[in-house]
């Protein structure tokens, strides 16, 4: 199985309304993705590898950064890494489930459980 990414390219979801640059990286232990803005960690997406799938139990964004694309950046980078790895996901987190529902081009990554 390919090794998970240790660093993902920056994803900002930049728009006129959202000029924030969000950098997303996989933790050294591979158990969460961290989102940073201006070098400050402002969000995370936990992950657990279990029975050949990647489970996303929890996403968290600091309240002052909510609504600025931080959660979306975390999910997009994580799911792009899943696709590159050829794996499947179990989105236990309500935010990840909702994001996939709004982006059906990622629905093929959801494992049948």
């Amino acid at each position: 199985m390919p090794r998970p990414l240790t660093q993902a390219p920056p994803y900002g979801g930049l728009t006129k309304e959202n000029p924030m640059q969000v950098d997303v990286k996989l933790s050294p232990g591979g158990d969460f993705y961290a989102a940073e803005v201006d070098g400050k960690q402002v969000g995370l997406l936990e992950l657990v590898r279990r029975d050949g799938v990647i489970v996303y139990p929890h996403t968290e964004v600091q309240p002052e950064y909510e609504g600025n694309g931080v959660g979306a950046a975390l999910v997009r980078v994580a799911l792009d890494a899943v696709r590159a790895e050829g794996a499947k996901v179990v989105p236990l987190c309500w935010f990840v489930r909702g994001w996939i529902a709004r982006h059906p081009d990622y629905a093929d990554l959801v494992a049948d459980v």
Side-chain angles (χ1 to χ4, degrees), residues 17-18 20 61-71 95:
E17 299 79 29
N18 180 24
M20 189 176 298
V61 174
Q62 291 183 8
E64 62 270 27
Y65 290 90
E66 289 178 357
N68 288 295
V70 174
F95 184 83

Side-chain angles (χ1 to χ4, degrees), residues 39-59:
K40 176 183 175 186
Q41 185 173 324
V42 299
L44 63 87
L45 171 57
E46 295 176 355
L47 67 100
V48 177
R49 292 181 176 273
R50 183 182 309 150
D51 300 325
V53 298
I54 300 170
V55 180
Y56 295 119
H58 180 68
T59 304

Side-chain angles (χ1 to χ4, degrees), residues 48-101:
V48 177
R49 292 181 176 273
R50 183 182 309 150
D51 300 325
V53 298
I54 300 170
V55 180
Y56 295 119
H58 180 68
T59 304
E60 186 174 321
V61 174
Q62 291 183 8
E64 62 270 27
Y65 290 90
E66 289 178 357
N68 288 295
V70 174
L74 283 163
V75 175
R76 183 179 305 273
V77 168
L79 293 178
D80 286 346
V82 167
R83 186 176 306 283
E85 185 178 320
K88 295 286 185 179
V89 301
V90 176
L92 295 181
C93 172
W94 66 268
F95 184 83
V96 177
R97 272 195 318 274
W99 193 92
I100 292 170

